[in-house]
Amino acid sequence: MKPTKELIGMLFQEIDEHLDSIVSDKQTLVYYNEIMGDTSFLLAGVLESLLKENTAEWDHAKWMDDSLLTHVEIENDLLRISGIMIWGRGGTTEQWVAPFSFETALPGNQHLPRRFSFLFSDWDQPELSYGDFNKKRHYWEGSQRNWRYVIHSDEHFTAS
């Protein structure tokens, strides 16, 4: 696996390359994955790396697969991406899902450093198996989150 800083650089580069798609695509999409390039699986890779580095509670046998991007918005020079993270447990192919939110300043904003916040999983509404999620796609909609994992960047990252 690549170092976390390199993954974050790749993520920012991918996001920056797709900003025009976000701004120009005014329709509401079910999933924004197709207009965001590799952003969905780069978010998963960055989150997995951050959890393994920063959280003793995260089981290192767990692996992140991908994410479903359900909301992408730009407001006040900030980009917010939220959706469903897809992950699994070592030794099995069964997958689970939990909500996430990622926020970062837009590139080129001299007043806001290129930092980010990553929020993942909800203490109050447990993760679901992917099979159950397919039957309950709206499980987390409309609820307030009690985020289980809250990770804020501690240094400025730029695209590679």
Side-chain angles (χ1 to χ4, degrees):
M1 180 178 254
K2 293 184 182 287
T4 303
K5 190 168 185 173
E6 186 176 345
L7 287 171
I8 292 168
M10 292 169 62
L11 173 62
F12 280 146
Q13 182 176 353
E14 193 68 17
I15 287 171
D16 294 350
E17 288 176 9
H18 291 87
L19 283 176
D20 289 341
S21 298
I22 299 165
V23 173
S24 65
D25 198 333
K26 299 295 182 193
Q27 65 180 336
T28 302
L29 301 171
V30 175
Y31 299 112
Y32 289 78
N33 294 51
E34 71 182 61
I35 68 166
M36 296 291 294
D38 294 339
T39 302
S40 66
F41 72 79
L42 286 168
L43 282 165
V46 167
L47 180 58
E48 178 178 7
S49 189
L50 290 168
L51 287 169
K52 286 181 177 180
E53 287 178 3
N54 297 299
T55 311
E57 174 187 326
W58 184 256
D59 181 353
H60 287 252
K62 292 180 181 176
W63 45 271
M64 293 290 176
D65 182 34
D66 202 349
S67 62
L68 298 173
L69 310 178
T70 58
H71 299 287
V72 178
E73 65 180 336
I74 296 173
E75 184 180 333
N76 299 326
D77 296 324
L78 291 174
L79 170 68
R80 287 182 197 92
I81 301 172
S82 58
I84 305 301
M85 195 61 63
I86 304 166
W87 58 274
R89 292 187 173 106
T92 178
T93 58
E94 187 173 4
Q95 293 183 320
W96 298 84
V97 295
F100 79 91
S101 180
F102 176 84
E103 181 177 289
T104 187
L106 293 174
N109 184 328
Q110 309 226 349
H111 303 293
L112 294 173
R114 196 75 189 260
R115 295 177 184 246
F116 63 87
S117 294
F118 221 132
L119 311 171
F120 174 61
S121 196
D122 189 331
W123 280 108
D124 298 332
Q125 288 182 279
E127 64 269 352
L128 289 175
S129 72
Y130 193 82
D132 286 344
F133 174 69
N134 276 331
K135 299 171 195 163
K136 299 178 188 181
R137 292 277 175 155
H138 304 288
Y139 179 70
W140 289 285
E141 281 185 19
S143 61
Q144 291 282 40
R145 301 272 178 270
N146 182 11
W147 293 108
R148 183 173 188 160
Y149 302 100
V150 177
I151 301 170
H152 300 288
S153 63
D154 57 358
E155 57 184 291
H156 302 178
F157 292 95
T158 56
S160 306

